[in-house]
Amino acid sequence: MARFTRWYGSGPLHLLVLLASFALTGYAMVRLFAVQPFAVAIWFVGAAILHDLVLLPLYSLADLSALSVLRHRAADGPAVPWINHLRVPAFLSGLLLLVWFPLILRMSAPYTRDTGLSDTVYLGRWLAITGVLFAASAVAFALRLRRARRAGRGDRGRTAPDRGAPS
């Protein structure tokens, strides 16, 4: 087992899950290309170009901007990493927007009869989910900050033993 781990770099379960995901992806590709090969190829190329040339620079710029604006903090406070408490809800909210944008932006004329809902509810629900994601992240950050401050106070509360007193 150790020899396999040294050779592969991880355990056999990792390799099995990786092979299963490749098999599932291959199956999906075969099924998609059987129906509309040209449209699927255009979609993949378009998605790669959109991501690499448009979205990646945009969210990298947003991340660098957040880092530079929020970098200034009190030097005496505990060092709690905060950036992922901003990145994770922003990523999840963006992912939801990317998946559901026709409904959120009211471009859902053919979907209204399928869902039974008016297209006016999706924007409010997406904003509510985004608010809940950021609020939950803020609460998690506050709890981590509180825990770090308590740990810092516990270290300062202990005084060094008095060297002049006899033991």
Side-chain angles (χ1 to χ4, degrees), residues 59 62-63 66 83-98 126 129-130 133-134 137:
Y59 59 70
D63 188 57
I83 190 67
N84 286 338
H85 291 278
L86 189 61
R87 286 177 181 158
V88 170
F91 169 75
L92 292 174
S93 176
L95 186 63
L96 287 172
L97 178 62
L98 183 65
W126 175 71
I129 290 170
T130 299
L133 287 170
F134 276 98
S137 184

Side-chain angles (χ1 to χ4, degrees), residues 4 6-7 17 20 37 40 64 93-94 101 112-113 115 134 161:
F4 177 80
R6 258 185 289 129
W7 174 76
V17 169
V40 172
L64 288 173
S93 176
F101 79 90
T112 304
R113 67 174 176 261
T115 62
F134 276 98

Side-chain angles (χ1 to χ4, degrees), residues 6-112:
R6 258 185 289 129
W7 174 76
Y8 176 65
S10 189
L13 182 61
H14 181 270
L15 179 62
L16 183 65
V17 169
L18 190 63
L19 290 174
S21 69
F22 281 140
L24 181 64
T25 303
Y27 173 74
M29 291 296 296
V30 166
R31 295 290 300 234
L32 283 173
F33 275 111
V35 177
Q36 294 178 331
F38 190 67
V40 172
I42 289 175
W43 187 84
F44 274 116
V45 170
I49 289 172
L50 176 71
H51 177 266
D52 292 348
L53 297 179
V54 178
L55 295 178
L56 181 66
L58 283 177
Y59 59 70
S60 296
L61 181 66
D63 188 57
L64 288 173
S65 299
L67 279 172
S68 67
V69 167
L70 299 174
R71 184 172 310 208
H72 307 289
R73 60 180 169 88
D76 61 339
V80 174
W82 55 269
I83 190 67
N84 286 338
H85 291 278
L86 189 61
R87 286 177 181 158
V88 170
F91 169 75
L92 292 174
S93 176
L95 186 63
L96 287 172
L97 178 62
L98 183 65
V99 170
W100 298 103
F101 79 90
L103 296 170
I104 293 170
L105 300 178
R106 295 185 183 173
M107 297 187 295
S108 62
Y111 300 111
T112 304

